[in-house]
Amino acid sequence: ERGWLGREPKKVGEVWVLTEPKLIEAVLIKNHRKFDKDPLTQEIQDVLGQGLLVSDGEVWKYDHALVQPVMTAPAIRRRIGPIVDAVRIDLDRWPRGGVIAGMEQFGSLTLEVVSRVSLGVSLSDRAEAVASALEEILNYYQGFGSPGLRAPRHWQTPGRRRFLAACERARSVTQILIDRRSKLPCTAEDPDALGRLIARHRERPDELPESRLQDQAMTLMLAGNETTTIGLACALRALADNPSVQRRWLDEVDAADLDGDEIDIDALPYTRGVWRETLRLYPPAAGVGRVSKTEVELPGLTIPPKTLTVIPAVTMHRLARWFPNPDAFEPQRWLDEPTRPRHTYLPYGAGPRVCIGQHLADVEAIVALALVGRRYRIEPAPGAEPLRFSISVTRRPKGGVPVKLVPR
C-alpha cells in the first residue's frame, strides 16, 4: 500500500486519517450531522460567504433546494445542447495548433459552459478577470494547514491585501453576471440556477437576501470553473503521455456522431473512462475533511470531540486493493467496472454535501474531450516535466499544464 497508510485508521498528531469505506460512509453519510466542515472550508467564507460550499444548517437546506433541481443528472442531460454550443464557441477561439497552457485554455472553456448553463448568460468577455482573481485567491490559501506560521486574518499583510482586492474583483464580475441575468425573464421554472435564485429573491427577499444571492452566484461561477478546468487540463496531459490510450480515444471520437446540436454521451464510453481515470489519478480536491462536534462512535473507533478527520481521496485513488496497477493511466478499468466498495472513488465527495455540480462537470468534460479530439491530436509539450501540484483550496497543477495541439 502507500507506505504507512494501510487499512486501519491512522492518527497523525490530532488528525484521524480514514481510508476504509465503512468508516468513510459512517462519517460522510450515517453520522454527517455530528461533524462540521473542515477549517479550510470555513476559512473560505471570506470568498464565498454563505455559498453552498460553505453554508450549513437551514441556510444550506433552503438554497440547496432551489439549486439542486437543475443540477440533477436528468436536468443536465436536458441541457446538453447548450453545453455543446458553449464548448464549440470556446473551441473556435483556440489556436489551430501549437503549444497551449491547458489551465488557461480550459479555464476559458469551463467558464463559458458554467456561465451559459448554470448562470444563464455568457461571461466570455470577463474570462481574464475571473482567471486572475481566482489565481490570486488560490495563492493566498496555498499551504493552508501546513506546519509553520500564518499571519492572523486581521493583519493587513501585502498578501492579505492582494487577496482582498482579488475577492473584490471577483465580486464585481459576479454583480455584472447578476445584472445581465436580471435583464432576462427569471422564473421558478428556469433551467439555470441563477434565474431561479433571482426569481426567489424578487419574490421573497427576506428569505433570500441580495448578499446571499451574490454568494451563490459567486460559488457557482468559481467552484464550477476551477475543478473542471484542472481535470480537463490533466486529461490532455495524460492522453499526450499515453499514445495507445489516445489512439483508442480518437478511434471512438471518430466513430461518434459529433456534428449535431446535441451529442449522445452514452456513445462515448471510453471518453467517459478517460475522464474518470483522470479524476482518479489527479483529483482536483485532495480529499474531504470534517471536524467532530461531539464524541462520535464509528465501527471500531471513537472520534473525540473537536477532532479533524481526513478522507484523502488523492491517496485512496491509488490504493492497489481497489485499483490494480494504480499508477497507470488505464481508462479501460472504468469500462470493465469490477466490483469495488462504494466510497473508494471520491472525486466529488459523498453524502448530503456531495458536489452539487458533479453531473454538469461530467457531461461538460465528456463533451469537451470529444470535441477537442475531433480537432486535434495531443502531444507532450517540448521539455514538459511530470505533473506537480500545489495544495490550496484545490490541487492545482504547477506550470499551467502545457501540451501541444496537432491539427487533425
Side-chain angles (χ1 to χ4, degrees):
E1 297 293 3
R2 288 286 176 211
W4 61 270
L5 190 57
R7 291 178 179 270
E8 298 303 317
K10 300 292 182 181
K11 193 174 185 183
V12 184
E14 296 303 313
V15 179
W16 279 100
V17 180
L18 308 182
T19 60
E20 269 302 294
K22 65 181 180 180
L23 295 176
I24 293 168
E25 181 181 35
V27 170
L28 297 183
I29 298 176
K30 294 181 178 179
N31 296 282
H32 71 91
R33 292 187 178 87
K34 298 179 182 179
F35 290 86
D36 281 327
K37 293 174 294 298
D38 63 278
L40 176 57
T41 303
Q42 296 174 21
E43 180 85 4
I44 61 176
Q45 285 182 336
D46 283 353
V47 184
L48 301 179
Q50 291 187 300
L52 284 173
L53 187 63
V54 179
S55 63
D56 215 338
E58 294 305 314
V59 168
W60 178 84
K61 290 180 183 178
Y62 186 94
D63 294 352
H64 187 269
L66 289 174
V67 174
Q68 195 269 342
V70 298
M71 302 299 262
T72 63
I76 294 300
R77 285 193 173 232
R78 289 193 293 270
R79 300 280 284 159
I80 200 164
I83 293 172
V84 170
D85 187 47
V87 171
R88 284 185 176 138
I89 287 171
D90 195 82
L91 284 179
D92 286 343
R93 306 186 190 111
W94 282 34
R96 290 180 57 85
V99 176
I100 63 164
M103 287 293 292
E104 179 181 348
Q105 295 293 158
F106 280 121
S108 170
L109 185 148
T110 59
L111 182 64
E112 184 75 12
V113 174
V114 168
S115 60
R116 285 175 174 266
V117 175
S118 294
L119 305 170
V121 292
S122 175
L123 273 178
S124 59
D125 59 328
R126 294 291 188 274
E128 187 175 336
V130 171
S132 65
L134 184 57
E135 183 168 1
E136 193 64 61
I137 289 167
L138 292 172
N139 285 342
Y140 176 77
Y141 288 115
Q142 188 168 327
F144 180 90
S146 299
L149 295 175
R150 185 176 178 86
R153 294 165 67 189
H154 65 273
W155 287 14
Q156 291 302 304
T157 63
R160 178 73 178 176
R161 289 195 295 270
R162 289 193 299 270
F163 164 75
L164 293 175
C167 291
E168 188 58 36
R169 295 198 304 276
R171 289 214 164 260
S172 296
V173 174
T174 304
Q175 191 57 55
I176 291 171
L177 169 68
I178 293 171
D179 291 344
R180 288 180 181 178
R181 185 63 184 87
S182 296
K183 293 177 181 178
L184 303 173
C186 298
T187 73
E189 303 301 320
D190 281 344
D192 65 289
L194 186 55
R196 293 186 176 212
L197 290 165
I198 292 172
R200 178 58 62 90
H201 168 65
R202 289 172 175 171
E203 179 186 357
R204 302 176 190 172
D206 55 325
E207 295 181 8
L208 183 61
E210 186 172 0
S211 61
R212 214 162 81 227
L213 169 65
Q214 191 173 61
D215 291 342
Q216 299 303 0
M218 183 96 137
T219 299
L220 290 165
M221 179 180 71
L222 294 184
N225 171 250
E226 168 72 0
T227 53
T228 313
T229 294
I230 293 171
L232 284 168
C234 291
L236 285 201
R237 176 58 191 273
L239 288 164
D241 289 343
N242 294 272
S244 62
V245 170
Q246 181 171 175
R247 283 193 296 272
R248 182 169 176 184
W249 166 63
L250 291 178
D251 286 345
E252 179 178 86
V253 167
D254 289 344
D257 180 5
L258 304 180
D259 297 326
D261 294 336
E262 296 189 358
I263 289 175
D264 179 10
I265 60 173
D266 292 329
L268 296 163
Y270 196 74
T271 305
R272 180 189 296 274
V274 167
W275 175 242
R276 297 193 73 182
E277 184 73 344
T278 300
L279 296 184
R280 182 187 72 82
L281 284 173
Y282 312 112
V288 180
R290 294 289 186 267
V291 177
S292 53
K293 298 178 184 178
T294 60
E295 184 175 276
V296 183
E297 292 290 338
L298 303 181
L301 175 66
T302 300
I303 301 290
K306 299 181 180 180
T307 299
L308 176 62
T309 300
V310 173
I311 299 160
V314 68
T315 301
M316 291 182 60
H317 288 183
R318 295 192 185 223
L319 294 179
R321 67 179 182 269
W322 311 132
F323 303 100
N325 198 15
D327 294 330
F329 185 72
E330 296 181 350
Q332 180 63 38
R333 75 173 82 238
W334 299 103
L335 280 69
D336 299 338
E337 199 64 44
T339 302
R340 66 173 67 90
R342 295 182 64 192
H343 314 306
T344 56
Y345 178 70
L346 297 166
Y348 300 113
R353 300 304 294 256
V354 68
C355 173
I356 198 170
Q358 62 176 322
H359 301 300
L360 174 58
D362 285 345
V363 172
E364 170 189 2
I366 294 167
V367 168
L369 288 171
L371 292 178
V372 167
R374 178 58 61 89
R375 300 184 185 209
Y376 306 102
R377 285 189 298 106
I378 317 299
E379 295 181 358
E385 297 182 355
L387 285 174
R388 296 287 185 267
F389 295 83
S390 60
I391 304 300
S392 179
V393 179
T394 58
R395 292 178 71 242
R396 255 202 163 199
K398 298 178 180 180
V401 194
V403 294
K404 183 179 179 181
L405 302 179
V406 180
R408 301 187 67 202

